[in-house]
């Protein structure tokens, strides 16, 4: 009986050891699978963050380098945090893998939250660009209105068209920030050589406020009744060679 008892105890002990080994292997495999899933999630989250950061960097570059405006402080903070989190080394990530997987899971959440911050910052940048866009499109429209009454010079109209196209594209640009900056500098210089606003046109030709208002009406409606013009306005208009050659009087 003693032998049998000893043999039984030995058998049970052997079975317990095998069970422990099986549990260890099973738990280890589960942890490995969990870690692999987390690493895959992390890679996906980082790829999305880097994509959002690339778009943000271009839009921020257009705001700061092309148009010379300062970025919102929140945008700068979001960019710095994103740059920092994308520089976390592989060794640092491996150190986050623990039995619970909580450290790596927390890091994934941080990456996702950072991407949301970057997207919010990009929207803030775009709001600033939209304000610039509206203002400069108004400038283009004014320049075009002036051209309509001075003869629509083909080169001037081409400059206005290219200027307008560039401004319309700044929210969905093609090309690097440096190439866009070079393109804008050329367009801006050419545009500034034109009569681009009524105040400048008024100073350039020494016109009265009333004459400017009459010219605005003429550019908008294409015609104006002589009875609505003062003698002073008519004389001022006729003293401008470009206007004298384009304004027609119908009786």
């Amino acid at each position: 009986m003693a032998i049998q008892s000893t043999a039984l105890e030995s058998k049970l002990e052997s079975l317990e050891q095998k069970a422990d080994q099986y549990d260890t292997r099973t738990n280890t495999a589960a942890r490995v699978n969990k870690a692999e899933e987390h690493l895959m999630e992390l890679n996906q989250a980082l790829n999305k963050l880097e994509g959002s950061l690339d778009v943000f960097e271009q839009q921020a570059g257009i705001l700061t380098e092309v148009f010379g405006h300062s970025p919102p402080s929140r945008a700068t903070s979001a960019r710095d945090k994103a740059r920092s989190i994308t520089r976390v080394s592989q060794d640092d990530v491996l150190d986050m893998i623990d039995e619970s997987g909580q450290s790596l899971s927390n890091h994934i959440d941080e990456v996702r939250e950072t991407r949301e911050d970057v997207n919010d910052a990009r929207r803030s940048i775009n709001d600033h660009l939209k304000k610039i866009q509206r203002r400069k499109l108004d400038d283009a429209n004014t320049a075009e209105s002036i051209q309509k009454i001075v003869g629509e010079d083909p080169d001037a109209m081409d400059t206005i068209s290219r200027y307008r196209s560039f401004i319309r594209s700044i929210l969905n640009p093609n090309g690097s920030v440096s190439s866009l900056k070079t393109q804008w500098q050329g367009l801006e210089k050419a545009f500034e050589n034109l009569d681009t606003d009524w105040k400048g046109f008024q100073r350039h030709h020494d016109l009265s406020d009333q004459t400017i208002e009459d010219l605005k009406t003429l550019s908008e409606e294409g015609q104006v009744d002589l009875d609505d013009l003062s003698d002073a306005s008519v004389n001022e208009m006729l003293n401008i060679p470009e206007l004298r050659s384009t304004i027609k009087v119908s009786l």
Side-chain angles (χ1 to χ4, degrees):
M1 291 293 295
I3 295 174
Q4 290 178 349
S5 176
T6 302
L8 180 59
E9 289 174 358
S10 177
K11 184 69 173 180
L12 289 173
E13 184 177 346
S14 175
L15 289 173
E16 287 174 355
Q17 288 176 350
K18 289 182 179 179
D20 288 342
Q21 291 172 358
Y22 174 79
D23 289 342
T24 300
R25 286 196 299 270
T26 301
N27 290 337
T28 299
R31 287 199 298 272
V32 169
N33 289 336
K34 189 173 184 179
E36 288 177 344
E37 290 175 3
H38 280 157
L39 288 173
M40 186 177 297
E41 285 185 53
L42 177 60
N43 283 333
Q44 291 173 346
L46 283 171
N47 286 336
K48 290 180 179 180
L49 173 59
E50 288 172 355
S52 294
L53 185 58
D54 286 344
V55 175
F56 167 85
E57 294 279 17
Q58 185 176 45
Q59 296 305 93
I62 292 173
L63 180 67
T64 59
E65 296 183 38
V66 176
F67 293 112
H69 289 238
S70 299
S73 57
R74 59 180 289 193
T76 303
S77 299
R79 179 198 60 200
D80 292 344
K81 182 179 179 183
R83 285 177 176 175
S84 174
I85 207 168
T86 55
R87 290 172 184 156
V88 173
S89 70
Q90 183 174 328
D91 288 339
D92 290 334
V93 172
L94 292 176
D95 287 342
M96 296 177 193
I97 299 176
D98 54 23
E99 290 190 5
S100 67
Q102 194 61 46
S103 295
L104 191 53
S105 180
N106 290 340
H107 184 59
I108 294 169
D109 289 340
E110 185 181 11
V111 171
R112 288 170 175 162
E113 289 170 3
T114 301
R115 181 179 178 236
E116 287 301 315
D117 291 341
V118 169
N119 287 338
D120 287 342
R122 175 178 53 79
R123 284 188 282 269
S124 178
I125 292 286
N126 281 348
D127 286 342
H128 282 69
L129 289 175
K130 286 176 183 177
K131 291 178 182 178
I132 294 172
Q133 187 180 62
R134 285 193 295 269
R135 186 171 66 252
K136 293 192 178 297
L137 285 176
D138 285 344
D139 292 343
N141 292 338
T142 300
E144 189 173 59
S145 295
I146 293 173
Q147 279 299 312
K148 286 180 179 179
I149 63 172
V150 297
E152 295 188 345
D153 176 74
D155 289 339
M157 295 301 289
D158 178 65
T159 296
I160 294 169
S161 176
R162 290 186 293 111
Y163 181 95
R164 182 183 281 125
S165 294
F166 182 92
I167 293 301
R168 284 175 173 166
S169 74
I170 61 176
L171 296 178
N172 296 287
N174 290 317
S176 65
V177 171
S178 60
S179 66
L180 292 171
K181 181 179 180 180
T182 300
Q183 185 180 351
W184 172 245
Q185 287 174 337
L187 279 172
E188 188 177 35
K189 184 176 181 180
F191 187 76
E192 288 175 349
N193 287 333
L194 307 176
D195 284 312
T196 57
D197 66 272
W198 288 111
K199 287 185 178 180
F201 188 78
Q202 182 177 11
R203 288 193 302 270
H204 182 202
H205 297 287
D206 193 23
L207 301 175
S208 66
D209 291 343
Q210 184 56 54
T211 299
I212 287 296
E213 291 304 314
D214 292 336
L215 287 173
K216 287 180 181 179
T217 301
L218 180 60
S219 69
E220 292 169 2
E221 299 181 6
Q223 62 182 20
V224 64
D225 196 322
L226 276 175
D227 291 339
D228 294 332
L229 300 177
S230 67
D231 290 342
S233 288
V234 172
N235 288 331
E236 286 185 358
M237 290 181 190
L238 295 178
N239 282 333
I240 301 174
E242 297 93 336
L243 292 179
R244 193 164 57 241
S245 63
T246 57
I247 292 179
K248 296 181 180 180
V249 178
S250 298
L251 300 177

